[in-house]
mmCIF file of all heavy atoms in Angstrom:
data_model
loop_
_atom_site.group_PDB
_atom_site.id
_atom_site.type_symbol
_atom_site.label_atom_id
_atom_site.label_comp_id
_atom_site.label_asym_id
_atom_site.label_seq_id
_atom_site.Cartn_x
_atom_site.Cartn_y
_atom_site.Cartn_z
ATOM 1 N N PHE A 1 0.773 -1.128 0.052
ATOM 2 C CA PHE A 1 -0.026 0.025 0.014
ATOM 3 C C PHE A 1 0.826 1.249 -0.042
ATOM 4 O O PHE A 1 0.523 2.173 -0.727
ATOM 5 C CB PHE A 1 -0.944 0.090 1.269
ATOM 6 C CG PHE A 1 -1.793 1.180 1.280
ATOM 7 C CD1 PHE A 1 -3.037 1.226 0.637
ATOM 8 C CD2 PHE A 1 -1.585 2.255 2.143
ATOM 9 C CE1 PHE A 1 -3.833 2.389 0.634
ATOM 10 C CE2 PHE A 1 -2.399 3.445 2.164
ATOM 11 C CZ PHE A 1 -3.542 3.401 1.475
ATOM 12 N N LEU A 2 1.924 1.275 0.814
ATOM 13 C CA LEU A 2 2.830 2.398 0.920
ATOM 14 C C LEU A 2 3.483 2.654 -0.507
ATOM 15 O O LEU A 2 3.550 3.817 -0.894
ATOM 16 C CB LEU A 2 3.944 2.118 1.905
ATOM 17 C CG LEU A 2 5.161 3.110 1.982
ATOM 18 C CD1 LEU A 2 4.613 4.467 2.506
ATOM 19 C CD2 LEU A 2 6.108 2.408 3.020
ATOM 20 N N ALA A 3 3.951 1.589 -1.058
ATOM 21 C CA ALA A 3 4.530 1.737 -2.445
ATOM 22 C C ALA A 3 3.637 2.281 -3.424
ATOM 23 O O ALA A 3 3.929 3.173 -4.288
ATOM 24 C CB ALA A 3 5.173 0.432 -2.908
ATOM 25 N N ALA A 4 2.404 1.890 -3.442
ATOM 26 C CA ALA A 4 1.315 2.272 -4.322
ATOM 27 C C ALA A 4 0.969 3.686 -4.137
ATOM 28 O O ALA A 4 0.504 4.422 -4.881
ATOM 29 C CB ALA A 4 0.173 1.371 -4.170
ATOM 30 N N CYS A 5 1.158 4.183 -2.941
ATOM 31 C CA CYS A 5 0.846 5.611 -2.501
ATOM 32 C C CYS A 5 2.144 6.495 -2.847
ATOM 33 O O CYS A 5 1.990 7.744 -2.732
ATOM 34 C CB CYS A 5 0.459 5.712 -1.118
ATOM 35 S SG CYS A 5 -1.158 4.855 -0.758
ATOM 36 N N SER A 6 3.287 5.892 -3.080
ATOM 37 C CA SER A 6 4.455 6.604 -3.266
ATOM 38 C C SER A 6 5.192 6.617 -4.682
ATOM 39 O O SER A 6 5.828 7.360 -4.958
ATOM 40 C CB SER A 6 5.451 6.022 -2.276
ATOM 41 O OG SER A 6 5.082 6.248 -0.974
ATOM 42 N N LEU A 7 4.597 5.563 -5.482
ATOM 43 C CA LEU A 7 5.185 5.490 -6.684
ATOM 44 C C LEU A 7 4.109 5.353 -7.719
ATOM 45 O O LEU A 7 2.963 5.108 -7.443
ATOM 46 C CB LEU A 7 6.085 4.079 -6.778
ATOM 47 C CG LEU A 7 7.161 4.063 -5.865
ATOM 48 C CD1 LEU A 7 7.731 2.546 -5.725
ATOM 49 C CD2 LEU A 7 8.291 5.001 -6.109
ATOM 50 N N ASP A 8 4.447 5.502 -9.057
ATOM 51 C CA ASP A 8 3.538 5.436 -10.041
ATOM 52 C C ASP A 8 3.404 3.880 -10.500
ATOM 53 O O ASP A 8 4.200 3.404 -11.363
ATOM 54 C CB ASP A 8 3.836 6.219 -11.265
ATOM 55 C CG ASP A 8 2.825 6.201 -12.519
ATOM 56 O OD1 ASP A 8 1.674 5.825 -12.090
ATOM 57 O OD2 ASP A 8 3.167 6.647 -13.374
ATOM 58 N N LEU A 9 2.483 3.050 -10.135
ATOM 59 C CA LEU A 9 2.195 1.759 -10.182
ATOM 60 C C LEU A 9 0.985 1.571 -10.923
ATOM 61 O O LEU A 9 -0.017 2.359 -11.030
ATOM 62 C CB LEU A 9 2.231 0.937 -8.911
ATOM 63 C CG LEU A 9 3.596 1.017 -8.144
ATOM 64 C CD1 LEU A 9 3.327 0.320 -6.804
ATOM 65 C CD2 LEU A 9 4.775 0.447 -8.845
ATOM 66 N N ASP A 10 0.722 0.249 -11.464
ATOM 67 C CA ASP A 10 -0.417 -0.054 -12.335
ATOM 68 C C ASP A 10 -1.426 -0.925 -11.447
ATOM 69 O O ASP A 10 -2.586 -1.034 -11.933
ATOM 70 C CB ASP A 10 -0.082 -0.780 -13.590
ATOM 71 C CG ASP A 10 0.868 0.094 -14.471
ATOM 72 O OD1 ASP A 10 0.338 1.063 -15.025
ATOM 73 O OD2 ASP A 10 2.018 -0.085 -14.582
ATOM 74 N N ALA A 11 -1.040 -1.712 -10.542
ATOM 75 C CA ALA A 11 -1.916 -2.518 -9.572
ATOM 76 C C ALA A 11 -1.139 -2.689 -8.223
ATOM 77 O O ALA A 11 0.108 -2.721 -8.272
ATOM 78 C CB ALA A 11 -2.207 -3.703 -10.379
ATOM 79 N N ALA A 12 -1.925 -3.000 -7.283
ATOM 80 C CA ALA A 12 -1.336 -3.392 -5.955
ATOM 81 C C ALA A 12 -2.194 -4.286 -5.296
ATOM 82 O O ALA A 12 -3.408 -4.277 -5.487
ATOM 83 C CB ALA A 12 -1.129 -2.080 -5.085
ATOM 84 N N VAL A 13 -1.529 -5.234 -4.444
ATOM 85 C CA VAL A 13 -2.287 -6.246 -3.699
ATOM 86 C C VAL A 13 -1.750 -6.148 -2.237
ATOM 87 O O VAL A 13 -0.615 -6.234 -1.985
ATOM 88 C CB VAL A 13 -2.174 -7.623 -4.227
ATOM 89 C CG1 VAL A 13 -3.034 -8.607 -3.309
ATOM 90 C CG2 VAL A 13 -2.618 -7.699 -5.679
ATOM 91 N N ASP A 14 -2.769 -5.957 -1.304
ATOM 92 C CA ASP A 14 -2.487 -5.891 -0.017
ATOM 93 C C ASP A 14 -3.111 -7.195 0.802
ATOM 94 O O ASP A 14 -4.306 -7.232 0.831
ATOM 95 C CB ASP A 14 -3.062 -4.684 0.739
ATOM 96 C CG ASP A 14 -3.124 -4.583 2.275
ATOM 97 O OD1 ASP A 14 -2.474 -5.599 2.881
ATOM 98 O OD2 ASP A 14 -3.623 -3.644 2.874
ATOM 99 N N CYS A 15 -2.193 -8.098 1.057
ATOM 100 C CA CYS A 15 -2.611 -9.297 1.784
ATOM 101 C C CYS A 15 -2.385 -9.021 3.271
ATOM 102 O O CYS A 15 -1.322 -9.109 3.838
ATOM 103 C CB CYS A 15 -1.897 -10.580 1.370
ATOM 104 S SG CYS A 15 -2.061 -10.866 -0.435
ATOM 105 N N TYR A 16 -3.607 -8.764 3.988
ATOM 106 C CA TYR A 16 -3.608 -8.635 5.404
ATOM 107 C C TYR A 16 -2.397 -7.784 5.993
ATOM 108 O O TYR A 16 -1.888 -8.109 6.981
ATOM 109 C CB TYR A 16 -3.636 -9.977 6.168
ATOM 110 C CG TYR A 16 -2.957 -11.127 5.635
ATOM 111 C CD1 TYR A 16 -1.543 -11.301 5.922
ATOM 112 C CD2 TYR A 16 -3.480 -12.113 4.904
ATOM 113 C CE1 TYR A 16 -0.765 -12.380 5.421
ATOM 114 C CE2 TYR A 16 -2.728 -13.144 4.384
ATOM 115 C CZ TYR A 16 -1.407 -13.274 4.592
ATOM 116 O OH TYR A 16 -0.723 -14.406 4.177
ATOM 117 N N GLY A 17 -2.261 -6.621 5.435
ATOM 118 C CA GLY A 17 -1.271 -5.672 5.785
ATOM 119 C C GLY A 17 -1.658 -4.927 7.254
ATOM 120 O O GLY A 17 -2.688 -4.332 7.252
ATOM 121 N N ALA A 18 -0.897 -5.082 8.242
ATOM 122 C CA ALA A 18 -1.159 -4.426 9.523
ATOM 123 C C ALA A 18 -0.638 -3.130 9.450
ATOM 124 O O ALA A 18 0.374 -2.702 8.908
ATOM 125 C CB ALA A 18 -0.409 -5.223 10.531
ATOM 126 N N PHE A 19 -1.375 -2.112 10.230
ATOM 127 C CA PHE A 19 -1.089 -0.766 10.582
ATOM 128 C C PHE A 19 -1.005 0.068 9.335
ATOM 129 O O PHE A 19 -0.309 1.054 9.257
ATOM 130 C CB PHE A 19 0.393 -0.806 11.299
ATOM 131 C CG PHE A 19 0.435 -1.683 12.444
ATOM 132 C CD1 PHE A 19 1.405 -2.717 12.560
ATOM 133 C CD2 PHE A 19 -0.535 -1.563 13.469
ATOM 134 C CE1 PHE A 19 1.459 -3.483 13.658
ATOM 135 C CE2 PHE A 19 -0.520 -2.482 14.587
ATOM 136 C CZ PHE A 19 0.582 -3.381 14.704
ATOM 137 N N VAL A 20 -1.765 -0.284 8.294
ATOM 138 C CA VAL A 20 -2.206 0.773 7.300
ATOM 139 C C VAL A 20 -3.075 1.712 8.182
ATOM 140 O O VAL A 20 -2.996 3.001 7.918
ATOM 141 C CB VAL A 20 -2.865 0.078 6.188
ATOM 142 C CG1 VAL A 20 -3.438 1.251 5.225
ATOM 143 C CG2 VAL A 20 -1.993 -0.763 5.406
ATOM 144 N N VAL A 21 -3.976 1.156 8.897
ATOM 145 C CA VAL A 21 -4.783 2.014 9.836
ATOM 146 C C VAL A 21 -4.624 1.361 11.224
ATOM 147 O O VAL A 21 -4.179 0.167 11.307
ATOM 148 C CB VAL A 21 -6.406 1.918 9.309
ATOM 149 C CG1 VAL A 21 -6.466 2.663 8.106
ATOM 150 C CG2 VAL A 21 -6.945 0.599 9.462
ATOM 151 N N GLY A 22 -5.048 2.065 12.263
ATOM 152 C CA GLY A 22 -5.049 1.507 13.608
ATOM 153 C C GLY A 22 -3.795 1.942 14.388
ATOM 154 O O GLY A 22 -2.777 2.006 13.822
ATOM 155 N N GLU A 23 -4.043 2.020 15.619
ATOM 156 C CA GLU A 23 -2.847 2.401 16.437
ATOM 157 C C GLU A 23 -1.852 1.137 16.699
ATOM 158 O O GLU A 23 -2.348 0.112 16.896
ATOM 159 C CB GLU A 23 -3.318 2.856 17.816
ATOM 160 C CG GLU A 23 -4.182 4.175 17.765
ATOM 161 C CD GLU A 23 -3.395 5.316 17.240
ATOM 162 O OE1 GLU A 23 -2.182 5.404 17.518
ATOM 163 O OE2 GLU A 23 -3.999 5.867 16.277
ATOM 164 N N VAL A 24 -0.586 1.563 16.697
ATOM 165 C CA VAL A 24 0.442 0.553 16.879
ATOM 166 C C VAL A 24 0.514 0.303 18.358
ATOM 167 O O VAL A 24 0.579 1.189 19.340
ATOM 168 C CB VAL A 24 1.741 0.972 16.336
ATOM 169 C CG1 VAL A 24 2.851 -0.064 16.567
ATOM 170 C CG2 VAL A 24 1.730 1.252 14.804
ATOM 171 N N PRO A 25 0.595 -0.918 18.880
ATOM 172 C CA PRO A 25 0.685 -1.202 20.389
ATOM 173 C C PRO A 25 1.797 -0.716 20.874
ATOM 174 O O PRO A 25 2.967 -0.625 20.377
ATOM 175 C CB PRO A 25 0.565 -2.797 20.357
ATOM 176 C CG PRO A 25 0.012 -3.256 19.079
ATOM 177 C CD PRO A 25 0.393 -2.180 18.027
ATOM 178 N N GLU A 26 1.791 -0.377 22.190
ATOM 179 C CA GLU A 26 3.070 -0.049 22.865
ATOM 180 C C GLU A 26 4.053 -1.186 22.922
ATOM 181 O O GLU A 26 3.681 -2.335 22.936
ATOM 182 C CB GLU A 26 2.563 0.262 24.368
ATOM 183 C CG GLU A 26 1.941 1.663 24.536
ATOM 184 C CD GLU A 26 1.693 2.069 26.075
ATOM 185 O OE1 GLU A 26 2.662 1.842 26.797
ATOM 186 O OE2 GLU A 26 0.639 2.637 26.323
ATOM 187 N N ASN A 27 5.272 -0.714 22.930
ATOM 188 C CA ASN A 27 6.340 -1.662 22.943
ATOM 189 C C ASN A 27 6.484 -2.524 21.710
ATOM 190 O O ASN A 27 7.116 -3.560 21.661
ATOM 191 C CB ASN A 27 6.315 -2.584 24.176
ATOM 192 C CG ASN A 27 6.467 -1.692 25.476
ATOM 193 O OD1 ASN A 27 7.211 -0.860 25.502
ATOM 194 N ND2 ASN A 27 5.500 -2.097 26.374
ATOM 195 N N PHE A 28 5.758 -2.183 20.608
ATOM 196 C CA PHE A 28 5.834 -2.878 19.393
ATOM 197 C C PHE A 28 7.340 -2.821 18.801
ATOM 198 O O PHE A 28 7.978 -1.807 18.863
ATOM 199 C CB PHE A 28 4.844 -2.305 18.318
ATOM 200 C CG PHE A 28 4.776 -3.153 17.011
ATOM 201 C CD1 PHE A 28 4.119 -4.413 17.123
ATOM 202 C CD2 PHE A 28 5.219 -2.831 15.905
ATOM 203 C CE1 PHE A 28 3.936 -5.186 16.048
ATOM 204 C CE2 PHE A 28 5.071 -3.664 14.724
ATOM 205 C CZ PHE A 28 4.314 -4.822 14.843
ATOM 206 N N PRO A 29 7.869 -3.931 18.455
ATOM 207 C CA PRO A 29 9.304 -3.969 18.125
ATOM 208 C C PRO A 29 9.879 -3.151 16.855
ATOM 209 O O PRO A 29 10.949 -2.978 16.705
ATOM 210 C CB PRO A 29 9.687 -5.510 17.876
ATOM 211 C CG PRO A 29 8.210 -6.055 17.531
ATOM 212 C CD PRO A 29 7.297 -5.327 18.225
ATOM 213 N N MET A 30 8.735 -2.719 16.062
ATOM 214 C CA MET A 30 9.160 -2.023 14.781
ATOM 215 C C MET A 30 8.617 -0.648 14.853
ATOM 216 O O MET A 30 7.524 -0.291 15.351
ATOM 217 C CB MET A 30 8.666 -2.797 13.538
ATOM 218 C CG MET A 30 9.490 -4.147 13.494
ATOM 219 S SD MET A 30 8.883 -5.018 11.879
ATOM 220 C CE MET A 30 7.202 -5.472 12.357
ATOM 221 N N ALA A 31 9.456 0.382 14.209
ATOM 222 C CA ALA A 31 9.059 1.719 14.132
ATOM 223 C C ALA A 31 8.152 1.957 13.039
ATOM 224 O O ALA A 31 8.519 2.493 11.999
ATOM 225 C CB ALA A 31 10.208 2.551 14.157
ATOM 226 N N VAL A 32 6.811 1.672 13.190
ATOM 227 C CA VAL A 32 5.933 1.799 12.066
ATOM 228 C C VAL A 32 4.769 2.963 12.535
ATOM 229 O O VAL A 32 4.627 2.953 13.692
ATOM 230 C CB VAL A 32 5.187 0.470 11.564
ATOM 231 C CG1 VAL A 32 6.287 -0.379 11.004
ATOM 232 C CG2 VAL A 32 4.510 -0.198 12.774
ATOM 233 N N ARG A 33 4.083 3.399 11.572
ATOM 234 C CA ARG A 33 2.907 4.346 11.880
ATOM 235 C C ARG A 33 1.808 3.964 10.974
ATOM 236 O O ARG A 33 2.175 3.466 9.764
ATOM 237 C CB ARG A 33 3.389 5.703 11.789
ATOM 238 C CG ARG A 33 3.558 6.183 10.285
ATOM 239 C CD ARG A 33 3.826 7.770 10.344
ATOM 240 N NE ARG A 33 3.812 8.242 8.933
ATOM 241 C CZ ARG A 33 2.850 8.466 8.159
ATOM 242 N NH1 ARG A 33 1.504 8.303 8.560
ATOM 243 N NH2 ARG A 33 3.130 8.919 6.927
ATOM 244 N N PRO A 34 0.635 4.292 11.328
ATOM 245 C CA PRO A 34 -0.515 4.199 10.389
ATOM 246 C C PRO A 34 -0.201 5.125 9.096
ATOM 247 O O PRO A 34 0.357 6.201 9.204
ATOM 248 C CB PRO A 34 -1.775 4.649 10.985
ATOM 249 C CG PRO A 34 -1.283 4.515 12.513
ATOM 250 C CD PRO A 34 0.004 4.730 12.646
ATOM 251 N N ILE A 35 -0.720 4.684 7.889
ATOM 252 C CA ILE A 35 -0.326 5.427 6.790
ATOM 253 C C ILE A 35 -1.641 5.690 5.936
ATOM 254 O O ILE A 35 -1.646 5.914 4.778
ATOM 255 C CB ILE A 35 0.631 4.671 5.801
ATOM 256 C CG1 ILE A 35 0.312 3.358 5.675
ATOM 257 C CG2 ILE A 35 2.023 4.829 6.516
ATOM 258 C CD1 ILE A 35 1.231 2.658 4.558
ATOM 259 N N VAL A 36 -2.766 5.435 6.517
ATOM 260 C CA VAL A 36 -4.151 5.718 5.827
ATOM 261 C C VAL A 36 -4.215 7.119 5.273
ATOM 262 O O VAL A 36 -4.851 7.392 4.284
ATOM 263 C CB VAL A 36 -5.307 5.388 6.790
ATOM 264 C CG1 VAL A 36 -5.440 6.213 7.992
ATOM 265 C CG2 VAL A 36 -6.606 5.283 5.914
ATOM 266 N N ASP A 37 -3.454 8.133 5.853
ATOM 267 C CA ASP A 37 -3.434 9.483 5.419
ATOM 268 C C ASP A 37 -2.912 9.597 4.033
ATOM 269 O O ASP A 37 -3.042 10.634 3.334
ATOM 270 C CB ASP A 37 -2.657 10.366 6.401
ATOM 271 C CG ASP A 37 -1.216 9.900 6.505
ATOM 272 O OD1 ASP A 37 -0.920 8.756 7.014
ATOM 273 O OD2 ASP A 37 -0.251 10.751 6.302
ATOM 274 N N LEU A 38 -2.181 8.576 3.482
ATOM 275 C CA LEU A 38 -1.516 8.612 2.193
ATOM 276 C C LEU A 38 -2.640 8.133 1.173
ATOM 277 O O LEU A 38 -2.312 8.261 -0.065
ATOM 278 C CB LEU A 38 -0.383 7.628 2.080
ATOM 279 C CG LEU A 38 0.801 7.959 3.035
ATOM 280 C CD1 LEU A 38 1.873 6.875 2.918
ATOM 281 C CD2 LEU A 38 1.350 9.404 2.771
#
């Protein structure tokens, strides 16, 4: 989803991608943020 919002692509498939929306749990091991704003 991030790539499709950042690059000029022709199709994208999101298979159960976490944290496109929704709050990231505390102490989650990876530095990610929701990107629905894209």
Side-chain angles (χ1 to χ4, degrees):
F1 180 82
L2 172 65
C5 292
S6 306
L7 303 170
D8 186 14
L9 299 175
D10 297 288
V13 181
D14 169 5
C15 298
Y16 38 81
F19 308 125
V20 175
V21 300
E23 293 303 316
V24 180
E26 287 188 35
N27 302 318
F28 191 70
M30 293 182 290
V32 297
R33 71 167 186 88
I35 53 174
V36 67
D37 60 301
L38 299 179

